[in-house]
Amino acid sequence: TYKLFKAKDLKKDQSYFLYCLKKEDLPKILFPLGDFTKEKVRALALKINLPVAGKLDSQEICFIEKDYKNFLKEKFKDRIKKGKILNLEGKFLGTHKGLPFYTIGQRRGLEISAPAPLYVIKMDMENNTLIVGEDKALFKRKLTASEINWISKNFLLKVKSKIRYNMKEKEAQIFKENENKIKVVFSSAVRAITPGQAVVFYQGDEVLGGGVISGSDFKET
């Protein structure tokens, strides 16, 4: 039996992104740096005179050499269309530059004015509309996820879970809808649940699996 665990260096742990590995592939995969801290790796590189021993860590989206907005314009040029910015009550506040340029929880770059700070709450793709509201509207306890992948196939009702790489895991319960859809209810509200991002499940340092967030704030039955 092969399992996937967090790296020793929790600051550099990549297990959040590895949840989609298939359990049958694990016997064929090696992670040679998993038991080393970044400082230890740099020391080893220096000892054998590797020229990258002192190279700065990658920042932001490391595989994009250009500005990310230009990258999006090239990849999603058919979806870059201006549209309305509305508040939660449906009031018109301004015009956005194209929904691919925004993300849930974003505050900067909205170019609108309001008595209180406003954040992206939702992107209405069908109507090309950006919905904004106050920070408190970003906190929700529930999400749905699909494209589920279990590395450890023992389906646990209670797990630790997180919805982004740099988030500390929170206790959550999983409710199975069908073979490829689940509901997740956190013990307390989490900020900025974003469709398209991964929700990943842990038991201690073990990665159980995860899925792609498809929605949030569903009604409990």
Side-chain angles (χ1 to χ4, degrees), residues 67-129:
D67 176 82
Y68 80 92
K69 289 186 178 180
N70 289 327
F71 173 81
L72 291 173
K73 285 178 182 178
E74 293 174 6
K75 293 289 281 186
F76 304 105
K77 56 185 177 181
D78 295 336
R79 301 184 190 180
I80 307 295
K81 299 176 182 178
K82 293 183 178 181
K84 296 179 180 179
I85 300 177
L86 305 178
N87 65 13
L88 293 171
E89 289 72 44
K91 180 181 177 181
F92 176 80
L93 299 179
T95 303
H96 67 75
K97 298 178 180 179
L99 293 182
F101 293 143
Y102 303 87
T103 188
I104 304 298
Q106 179 176 335
R107 178 185 174 188
R108 294 182 179 179
L110 297 179
E111 299 180 3
I112 55 177
S113 59
L118 296 178
Y119 302 80
V120 175
I121 304 298
K122 180 181 179 181
M123 288 176 279
D124 184 346
M125 307 300 290
E126 184 176 349
N127 297 301
N128 192 33
T129 301

Side-chain angles (χ1 to χ4, degrees), residues 7-20:
K8 181 176 181 178
D9 191 339
L10 295 179
K11 294 179 181 178
K12 301 296 180 182
D13 172 51
Q14 301 295 307
S15 63
Y16 173 81
F17 302 104
L18 296 172
Y19 82 90
C20 52

Side-chain angles (χ1 to χ4, degrees), residues 148 150 152-159 173-178 181-183 201 208:
I148 310 302
W150 292 107
S152 182
K153 194 53 184 175
N154 52 330
F155 193 96
L156 295 177
L157 182 63
K158 293 185 178 181
V159 296
Q173 286 186 292
I174 301 174
F175 300 90
K176 188 175 182 180
E177 290 281 282
N178 53 50
K181 185 178 179 181
I182 58 174
K183 293 180 179 180
F201 310 118
L208 302 176

Side-chain angles (χ1 to χ4, degrees), residues 4-210:
L4 179 65
F5 292 88
K6 294 179 184 178
K8 181 176 181 178
D9 191 339
L10 295 179
K11 294 179 181 178
K12 301 296 180 182
D13 172 51
Q14 301 295 307
S15 63
Y16 173 81
F17 302 104
L18 296 172
Y19 82 90
C20 52
L21 289 175
K22 303 299 182 184
K23 59 182 180 180
E24 56 267 25
D25 294 333
L26 289 182
K28 308 167 189 175
I29 298 174
L30 293 175
F31 295 105
L33 301 182
D35 290 326
F36 296 93
T37 64
K38 187 64 173 283
E39 290 74 18
K40 179 66 173 178
V41 173
R42 287 193 183 279
L44 290 172
L46 186 63
K47 186 177 180 179
I48 59 176
N49 298 315
L50 286 181
V52 294
K55 185 178 179 181
L56 296 177
D57 289 356
S58 299
Q59 300 293 330
E60 299 295 333
I61 311 175
C62 59
F63 58 86
I64 296 179
E65 295 182 4
K66 305 175 184 178
D67 176 82
Y68 80 92
K69 289 186 178 180
N70 289 327
F71 173 81
L72 291 173
K73 285 178 182 178
E74 293 174 6
K75 293 289 281 186
F76 304 105
K77 56 185 177 181
D78 295 336
R79 301 184 190 180
I80 307 295
K81 299 176 182 178
K82 293 183 178 181
K84 296 179 180 179
I85 300 177
L86 305 178
N87 65 13
L88 293 171
E89 289 72 44
K91 180 181 177 181
F92 176 80
L93 299 179
T95 303
H96 67 75
K97 298 178 180 179
L99 293 182
F101 293 143
Y102 303 87
T103 188
I104 304 298
Q106 179 176 335
R107 178 185 174 188
R108 294 182 179 179
L110 297 179
E111 299 180 3
I112 55 177
S113 59
L118 296 178
Y119 302 80
V120 175
I121 304 298
K122 180 181 179 181
M123 288 176 279
D124 184 346
M125 307 300 290
E126 184 176 349
N127 297 301
N128 192 33
T129 301
L130 195 68
I131 310 298
V132 299
E134 295 184 20
D135 187 67
K136 61 184 179 181
L138 287 168
F139 287 84
K140 299 176 181 179
R141 287 185 59 226
K142 299 165 279 186
L143 65 82
T144 53
S146 57
E147 300 179 44
I148 310 302
N149 180 60
W150 292 107
I151 297 174
S152 182
K153 194 53 184 175
N154 52 330
F155 193 96
L156 295 177
L157 182 63
K158 293 185 178 181
V159 296
K160 291 288 184 73
S161 179
K162 63 181 180 179
I163 59 169
R164 61 180 55 86
Y165 167 66
N166 58 357
M167 169 186 169
K168 184 178 180 180
E169 301 105 63
K170 298 190 71 169
E171 290 185 0
Q173 286 186 292
I174 301 174
F175 300 90
K176 188 175 182 180
E177 290 281 282
N178 53 50
E179 288 303 316
N180 199 37
K181 185 178 179 181
I182 58 174
K183 293 180 179 180
V184 181
V185 180
F186 288 91
S187 58
S188 59
V190 294
R191 188 180 186 275
I193 296 174
T194 305
Q197 291 188 174
V199 55
V200 181
F201 310 118
Y202 295 84
Q203 185 180 40
D205 286 339
E206 182 185 355
V207 183
L208 302 176

